Every structure is written in C-alpha cells, then in structure tokens.
Amino acid sequence: MRFPGALGMVLLLYLLVLLPWAAWRSARHLRAARSGTAPPGARPIPSRTQIFATTLAMLAMLFWLAWITGRTFGYDIFAIPSFGLRELLAGLAAFAAQLGLRRVNRAIRTEEERRKMPVYGLLPRTRTEWTLYLVTAIAAGLAEEAAYRGVGMSVLTWSTGSAPLSALILAVAFGLAHLIQEWKSVGIIFLMALLMHTLVWFTGTLVVAMVVHAVYDIVAGIVGSRDAIRFEREAAVAAAGPTPIP
C-alpha cells in the first residue's frame, strides 16, 4: 500500500473516520431525545433550520477539502470529457435505479417502523426550511460526489492500487455517514453509493452523478416530507382521542 500526501490523508480521515463517527453520535443523540431516554442536562435537538445550516457548513468544508486536495494532483472536479445520449441515458438509468432502491427501503420496513424513524423529524415543513433544504440537496450533490466518487476515490485508489476495493471502502463509509437514517437505510445507501461509483466510471465525469444525486435528494425530500406531515397529523388525531358523542 502506498500513502498519499498530507491533504489526501486528511481527506481520507474525514471521509472514513470523522463523518461516520459524527453521524453515529448524532443518530444516538437524536434517538435518545426522541425516546425520552436522554440523560438530564443533555443538549436539546436543534431546530431543522439549525440542522440545515450546520449540514451546509459541513458540505462546504467537504467540497473545499476535496477541491484543494484535487488541485495537488491536477484533478478537475467539473471536467466533462464528453456528453451525449450515452451519458444522458446512463444518468436517467441511475436515477431510476435510485428510486427503485428507495422503494425497497420503504418495503423492508413496517408502517410503524417508518413512523419512528428520526429522519422524518428532520424533513422541511416551512418555506424557509424548504429553501435551506433545496440548497442543502444541491450542495450534497456537489460535495459528496466530489469527495467520495471523485477526489477521495482517486486518492484511495492510488493508495491501495485497487479501484474496486476503494469503491467498496468508500461506499461503506458513505453509508455509515448516513446513520441518522437508521441501519436498514445504511445498507440501501451503500448500494446507492456503489451505483454512483459505477455511473462516474461509465460516464467519465462527476457532473452527471452530481445532477442525479441532487435531483434524487430533492425528490426524496418532497415525498418524505409528505409522509412526515401525514404521520404528524395521524399522531395528533390519535392523541386527541375519539370525538365525544353529544
């Protein structure tokens, strides 16, 4: 195994260690707060606006780190060697496959399990939250593809000498970085990550994957937010009890 330069090592530590650890810590805190088992004095759950702002800052840091690391060996994040029908169809196929995996993710859970998922509490409701969510979705498409499928993939492949092994390692790390969505979703997100690695390899550019990623996150947010609002309304009706008969 060969080792990359200092910036490459920092990027790999960020992707493979820091982000999964931060996701695990956030998931544990959110789960405890929602179940009422948080210890006395534990910090409260931030508002959705605060969460989106924090996520945007993290994504900005991730993109910046990927960009400056890529510059050290001439990696162009926005390079498009060619774009035509082949690349367009590949992007559409990847998007359709992501939607299919999302349906699988819903099918492997009962309705009650879905109601208890912490991620539903993080989806936008107000106009301000939606604005922040849309910006976050676009930023995720740019930053995560640049870091995981782009620069991070190049650095790790250079280090290990194996592109398939590097894709597997980064896909695992990408899944763990989304632990806030619970373990069943981590497996689905792992498969989505492998799908995006394949898309980048097939098209030869990150740009198609960035667009597919951002559009998928927006669509998933719209559908998920509708479910979250429905769950909240049903919970409110159940809490109110039956309407008394006059």
Side-chain angles (χ1 to χ4, degrees):
M1 175 180 289
R2 297 170 293 172
F3 292 94
L7 280 174
M9 285 298 297
V10 170
L11 178 62
L12 290 182
L13 286 172
Y14 195 68
L15 295 175
L16 303 180
V17 179
L18 181 59
L19 289 181
W21 173 80
W24 170 79
R25 187 182 179 201
S26 296
R28 186 181 64 170
H29 172 65
L30 184 59
R31 195 180 307 114
R34 287 174 62 88
S35 63
T37 60
R43 59 188 175 88
I45 299 176
S47 68
R48 282 186 286 268
T49 299
Q50 291 173 320
I51 291 172
F52 291 141
T54 301
T55 303
L56 272 173
M58 181 275 293
L59 290 170
M61 172 64 73
L62 182 61
F63 182 84
W64 176 78
L65 184 56
W67 182 70
I68 63 170
T69 302
R71 287 188 62 185
T72 63
F73 56 92
Y75 191 100
D76 184 357
I77 289 172
F78 296 107
I80 307 177
S82 64
F83 185 82
L85 182 61
R86 176 178 180 271
E87 288 74 24
L88 177 61
L89 292 177
L92 292 173
F95 180 67
Q98 284 190 321
L99 293 179
L101 286 171
R102 189 180 188 280
R103 289 182 66 87
V104 172
N105 198 26
R106 289 170 62 91
I108 61 178
R109 286 185 169 88
T110 64
E111 182 80 355
E112 188 60 27
E113 284 181 309
R114 291 176 57 227
R115 290 176 188 276
K116 294 179 180 179
M117 288 178 65
V119 69
Y120 281 111
L122 306 180
L123 292 171
R125 308 289 197 276
T126 68
R127 181 174 297 180
T128 298
E129 290 172 358
W130 268 112
T131 299
L132 286 171
Y133 179 84
L134 292 175
V135 174
T136 301
I138 294 170
L142 293 172
E144 291 180 348
E145 295 306 320
Y148 286 93
R149 262 68 72 179
V151 180
M153 178 66 179
S154 294
V155 171
L156 193 57
T157 300
W158 185 85
S159 301
T160 65
S162 171
L165 175 62
S166 299
L168 282 172
I169 293 172
L170 286 166
V172 169
F174 188 73
L176 293 175
H178 292 77
L179 260 173
I180 198 73
Q181 299 184 38
E182 303 291 344
W183 280 106
K184 286 184 179 180
S185 293
V186 168
I188 297 297
I189 293 170
F190 165 77
L191 295 177
M192 287 185 176
L194 289 181
L195 174 67
M196 300 308 280
H197 277 289
T198 303
L199 178 62
V200 172
W201 166 78
F202 185 79
T203 61
T205 179
L206 290 173
V207 176
V208 176
M210 287 174 172
V211 173
V212 171
H213 189 147
V215 172
Y216 171 79
D217 281 357
I218 292 170
V219 171
I222 292 171
V223 176
S225 183
R226 290 174 179 172
D227 284 343
I229 292 171
R230 175 170 63 85
F231 292 155
E232 288 176 354
R233 288 174 178 169
E234 292 173 353
V237 170
T243 302
I245 300 175

Coordinates of all heavy atoms in Angstrom, one line a residue, residues 167-208:
A167 N -13.7 1.6 -4.1 CA -15.1 1.9 -4.2 C -15.9 1.3 -3.1 O -16.8 1.9 -2.5 CB -15.7 1.4 -5.6
L168 N -15.6 0.0 -2.7 CA -16.3 -0.7 -1.6 C -16.0 0.0 -0.3 O -17.0 0.2 0.5 CB -15.8 -2.1 -1.5 CG -16.4 -3.1 -2.5 CD1 -15.6 -4.4 -2.5 CD2 -17.8 -3.3 -2.3
I169 N -14.8 0.4 0.0 CA -14.5 1.1 1.2 C -15.2 2.4 1.3 O -15.8 2.7 2.4 CB -13.0 1.3 1.3 CG1 -12.2 0.0 1.5 CG2 -12.6 2.3 2.5 CD1 -10.7 0.1 1.4
L170 N -15.2 3.2 0.3 CA -15.9 4.5 0.3 C -17.4 4.3 0.3 O -18.1 5.2 1.0 CB -15.5 5.3 -0.9 CG -14.0 5.9 -0.9 CD1 -13.6 6.4 -2.2 CD2 -14.0 7.0 0.2
A171 N -17.9 3.3 -0.3 CA -19.4 3.1 -0.2 C -19.8 2.7 1.2 O -20.9 3.2 1.7 CB -19.8 2.0 -1.2
V172 N -19.0 1.9 1.9 CA -19.3 1.6 3.3 C -19.3 2.9 4.1 O -20.2 3.2 4.9 CB -18.3 0.6 3.8 CG1 -18.4 0.5 5.4 CG2 -18.5 -0.8 3.2
A173 N -18.2 3.7 3.9 CA -18.1 5.0 4.7 C -19.3 5.9 4.4 O -19.8 6.6 5.3 CB -16.8 5.7 4.3
F174 N -19.7 5.9 3.1 CA -20.8 6.8 2.7 C -22.1 6.3 3.4 O -22.9 7.2 3.9 CB -21.0 6.7 1.2 CG -22.0 7.7 0.7 CD1 -21.7 9.1 0.6 CD2 -23.2 7.3 0.2 CE1 -22.7 10.0 0.1 CE2 -24.2 8.2 -0.3 CZ -23.9 9.5 -0.4
G175 N -22.3 5.0 3.5 CA -23.5 4.5 4.2 C -23.5 4.9 5.6 O -24.5 5.3 6.2
L176 N -22.3 4.7 6.3 CA -22.2 5.0 7.7 C -22.4 6.5 8.0 O -22.8 6.8 9.1 CB -20.8 4.5 8.2 CG -20.6 3.0 8.2 CD1 -19.2 2.6 8.7 CD2 -21.6 2.3 9.2
A177 N -22.0 7.3 7.0 CA -22.1 8.7 7.2 C -23.6 9.2 7.2 O -23.9 10.3 7.5 CB -21.4 9.5 6.1
H178 N -24.5 8.2 6.9 CA -26.0 8.5 6.9 C -26.7 7.7 7.9 O -27.8 7.3 7.8 CB -26.5 8.2 5.5 CG -26.1 9.1 4.4 ND1 -24.8 9.1 3.8 CD2 -26.7 10.2 3.8 CE1 -24.7 10.0 2.9 NE2 -25.8 10.7 2.9
L179 N -26.0 7.4 9.0 CA -26.6 6.6 10.1 C -27.8 7.2 10.7 O -28.6 6.6 11.4 CB -25.5 6.4 11.2 CG -24.8 5.0 11.2 CD1 -23.7 5.0 12.2 CD2 -25.8 3.9 11.5
I180 N -28.0 8.5 10.5 CA -29.1 9.2 11.0 C -30.4 8.6 10.5 O -31.5 8.7 11.0 CB -29.1 10.7 10.7 CG1 -30.0 11.5 11.6 CG2 -29.4 11.0 9.2 CD1 -29.6 11.7 13.0
Q181 N -30.3 7.9 9.3 CA -31.5 7.3 8.7 C -31.7 5.8 9.2 O -32.5 5.1 8.6 CB -31.3 7.3 7.2 CG -31.2 8.7 6.6 CD -31.2 8.8 5.1 OE1 -31.9 8.0 4.5 NE2 -30.4 9.7 4.6
E182 N -30.9 5.4 10.2 CA -31.0 4.0 10.8 C -30.3 3.0 9.9 O -30.1 3.2 8.7 CB -32.5 3.7 11.0 CG -33.3 4.6 11.9 CD -32.8 4.6 13.4 OE1 -32.1 3.7 13.7 OE2 -33.1 5.6 14.1
W183 N -30.1 1.8 10.5 CA -29.2 0.8 9.9 C -29.8 0.2 8.6 O -29.0 -0.1 7.7 CB -29.0 -0.3 11.0 CG -27.9 0.1 11.9 CD1 -28.1 0.4 13.2 CD2 -26.5 0.1 11.7 NE1 -26.9 0.7 13.8 CE2 -25.9 0.6 12.9 CE3 -25.7 -0.1 10.6 CZ2 -24.5 0.8 13.0 CZ3 -24.3 0.1 10.7 CH2 -23.7 0.5 11.9
K184 N -31.1 0.0 8.6 CA -31.6 -0.6 7.3 C -31.3 0.3 6.1 O -31.0 -0.2 5.0 CB -33.1 -0.8 7.5 CG -33.5 -2.0 8.3 CD -35.0 -2.3 8.4 CE -35.3 -3.5 9.2 NZ -36.8 -3.8 9.2
S185 N -31.4 1.6 6.4 CA -31.2 2.6 5.3 C -29.7 2.6 4.9 O -29.3 2.9 3.8 CB -31.6 4.0 5.7 OG -33.0 4.0 5.8
V186 N -28.8 2.3 5.9 CA -27.4 2.3 5.6 C -27.0 1.3 4.5 O -26.2 1.6 3.6 CB -26.6 2.0 6.9 CG1 -25.1 1.7 6.6 CG2 -26.7 3.2 7.9
G187 N -27.7 0.1 4.6 CA -27.4 -0.9 3.5 C -27.9 -0.4 2.2 O -27.2 -0.6 1.2
I188 N -29.1 0.2 2.1 CA -29.6 0.8 0.9 C -28.7 1.9 0.3 O -28.4 1.9 -0.9 CB -31.0 1.3 1.0 CG1 -31.9 0.1 1.4 CG2 -31.5 1.9 -0.3 CD1 -32.1 -1.0 0.4
I189 N -28.2 2.8 1.2 CA -27.4 3.9 0.8 C -26.0 3.3 0.3 O -25.4 3.9 -0.6 CB -27.2 4.9 2.0 CG1 -28.6 5.5 2.2 CG2 -26.2 5.9 1.7 CD1 -28.6 6.4 3.5
F190 N -25.5 2.3 0.9 CA -24.3 1.6 0.5 C -24.5 1.2 -1.0 O -23.6 1.4 -1.8 CB -24.0 0.4 1.3 CG -23.0 -0.6 0.7 CD1 -21.7 -0.3 0.8 CD2 -23.4 -1.8 0.2 CE1 -20.7 -1.2 0.2 CE2 -22.5 -2.7 -0.4 CZ -21.2 -2.4 -0.4
L191 N -25.6 0.6 -1.3 CA -25.9 0.2 -2.7 C -26.0 1.4 -3.6 O -25.5 1.4 -4.8 CB -27.2 -0.7 -2.8 CG -27.1 -2.0 -2.1 CD1 -28.5 -2.7 -2.1 CD2 -26.0 -2.9 -2.6
M192 N -26.6 2.5 -3.1 CA -26.7 3.7 -3.9 C -25.3 4.3 -4.2 O -25.0 4.8 -5.3 CB -27.6 4.7 -3.2 CG -29.0 4.4 -3.2 SD -30.0 5.8 -2.5 CE -31.7 5.2 -2.7
A193 N -24.4 4.2 -3.2 CA -23.1 4.7 -3.4 C -22.4 3.9 -4.5 O -21.7 4.4 -5.4 CB -22.3 4.6 -2.1
L194 N -22.5 2.6 -4.4 CA -21.9 1.7 -5.5 C -22.4 2.1 -6.9 O -21.7 2.1 -7.9 CB -22.1 0.2 -5.2 CG -21.3 -0.3 -4.0 CD1 -21.7 -1.8 -3.9 CD2 -19.8 -0.2 -4.2
L195 N -23.7 2.3 -6.9 CA -24.4 2.7 -8.2 C -23.8 4.0 -8.7 O -23.5 4.1 -9.9 CB -25.9 2.9 -7.9 CG -26.7 3.5 -9.1 CD1 -26.8 2.5 -10.2 CD2 -28.1 3.8 -8.6
M196 N -23.5 5.0 -7.8 CA -22.9 6.3 -8.3 C -21.5 6.1 -8.7 O -21.0 6.8 -9.6 CB -23.1 7.3 -7.1 CG -24.5 7.6 -6.8 SD -25.6 8.0 -8.2 CE -25.2 9.7 -8.4
H197 N -20.8 5.2 -8.0 CA -19.4 4.9 -8.4 C -19.4 4.4 -9.8 O -18.6 4.8 -10.7 CB -18.7 3.9 -7.5 CG -18.1 4.5 -6.2 ND1 -17.0 5.2 -6.2 CD2 -18.6 4.4 -4.9 CE1 -16.7 5.6 -5.0 NE2 -17.7 5.2 -4.2
T198 N -20.4 3.5 -10.1 CA -20.5 2.9 -11.4 C -20.8 4.0 -12.5 O -20.3 4.0 -13.6 CB -21.5 1.8 -11.4 OG1 -21.2 0.8 -10.4 CG2 -21.6 1.1 -12.8
L199 N -21.7 4.9 -12.1 CA -22.1 5.9 -13.0 C -20.9 6.8 -13.4 O -20.7 7.2 -14.6 CB -23.2 6.8 -12.4 CG -23.7 8.0 -13.2 CD1 -24.3 7.5 -14.5 CD2 -24.8 8.8 -12.4
V200 N -20.1 7.2 -12.4 CA -18.9 8.0 -12.7 C -18.0 7.3 -13.5 O -17.4 7.9 -14.5 CB -18.3 8.5 -11.3 CG1 -16.9 9.2 -11.6 CG2 -19.2 9.4 -10.5
W201 N -17.7 6.0 -13.2 CA -16.8 5.2 -14.1 C -17.3 5.1 -15.5 O -16.6 5.3 -16.5 CB -16.7 3.8 -13.5 CG -16.1 2.8 -14.4 CD1 -14.7 2.7 -14.7 CD2 -16.7 1.8 -15.2 NE1 -14.5 1.7 -15.6 CE2 -15.7 1.2 -15.9 CE3 -18.1 1.5 -15.4 CZ2 -16.1 0.1 -16.8 CZ3 -18.4 0.5 -16.2 CH2 -17.4 -0.2 -17.0
F202 N -18.6 4.9 -15.7 CA -19.2 4.8 -17.0 C -19.2 6.0 -17.8 O -18.9 6.0 -19.0 CB -20.6 4.2 -16.9 CG -21.3 3.9 -18.2 CD1 -21.0 2.7 -18.8 CD2 -22.2 4.7 -18.8 CE1 -21.6 2.3 -20.1 CE2 -22.8 4.4 -20.0 CZ -22.5 3.2 -20.6
T203 N -19.5 7.2 -17.2 CA -19.6 8.4 -17.9 C -18.3 9.2 -18.0 O -18.1 10.1 -18.8 CB -20.7 9.4 -17.3 OG1 -20.3 9.6 -15.9 CG2 -22.0 8.7 -17.2
G204 N -17.4 8.9 -17.1 CA -16.1 9.6 -17.1 C -16.1 11.0 -16.5 O -15.2 11.7 -16.7
T205 N -17.2 11.3 -15.8 CA -17.4 12.6 -15.3 C -18.2 12.6 -14.0 O -19.0 11.7 -13.8 CB -18.1 13.6 -16.2 OG1 -18.2 14.9 -15.6 CG2 -19.4 13.1 -16.6
L206 N -17.9 13.5 -13.1 CA -18.7 13.6 -11.8 C -20.0 14.4 -12.0 O -20.9 14.3 -11.2 CB -17.8 14.3 -10.8 CG -16.6 13.6 -10.2 CD1 -15.9 14.6 -9.2 CD2 -17.1 12.4 -9.4
V207 N -20.0 15.2 -13.1 CA -21.1 16.1 -13.3 C -22.5 15.4 -13.4 O -23.5 15.9 -12.8 CB -20.9 17.1 -14.5 CG1 -22.1 18.0 -14.7 CG2 -19.6 17.9 -14.2
V208 N -22.5 14.4 -14.2 CA -23.8 13.6 -14.3 C -24.2 13.1 -12.9 O -25.4 13.2 -12.5 CB -23.6 12.5 -15.3 CG1 -24.9 11.6 -15.4 CG2 -23.3 13.0 -16.7

